[in-house]
Amino acid sequence: MSSVPDNLQYTAEHEWLDGGDPATVGITATAADALGDIVYVELPAVGDEIVAGAVIGEIESTKSVSELFSPVSGTVTEINGAVVDDPALVNSDPYGEGWLIKVAVTSRGPLLSPAEYAATAGADGH
């Protein structure tokens, strides 16, 4: 089982969001583990307006292709070029170097607490 950091918020689709301004978005260790070896990441462009719950990209692994959903509405201020160049960073450090985008948030979508996410994802609470 993967751990769920208790300083983040989550979506039911396995994205995480920190409380920063701009906020940082990534996918959870649970999702990264389920996907297997990630080989390609498609992210929105800097300046794109994104909407909470909408598809904003794709993550391709050796097992499947999964859509990436936005946990918030706002403007993309930065993408993680290191992940685009080396998608395996999402597997090796999903809550650190494997972050995906930063967003100037205008509104937050339906988000889960760490305990709620852990319960739905079958992950450890800490």
Side-chain angles (χ1 to χ4, degrees):
M1 283 191 184
S2 301
S3 65
V4 177
D6 57 8
N7 62 332
L8 303 173
Q9 292 182 297
Y10 301 89
T11 68
E13 292 81 23
H14 307 287
E15 288 83 19
W16 59 263
L17 171 80
D18 73 5
D21 184 24
T24 304
V25 174
I27 67 165
T28 66
T30 301
D33 289 348
L35 286 167
D37 295 334
I38 296 172
V39 296
Y40 178 76
V41 177
E42 178 185 311
L43 300 173
V46 172
D48 281 0
E49 296 290 327
I50 59 176
V51 176
V55 174
I56 57 171
E58 289 184 343
I59 296 181
E60 182 176 341
S61 71
T62 54
K63 293 181 180 177
S64 67
V65 177
S66 296
E67 294 177 322
L68 176 65
F69 296 90
S70 180
V72 295
S73 296
T75 305
V76 177
T77 62
E78 186 177 348
I79 64 168
N80 187 350
V83 163
V84 173
D85 293 341
D86 183 10
L89 286 173
V90 176
N91 292 112
S92 63
D93 192 10
Y95 300 112
E97 295 299 314
W99 64 273
L100 300 176
I101 62 172
K102 293 184 185 266
V103 181
V105 177
T106 56
S107 67
R108 295 173 184 259
L111 298 172
L112 304 173
S113 70
E116 291 168 330
Y117 177 74
T120 61
D124 293 336
H126 298 280

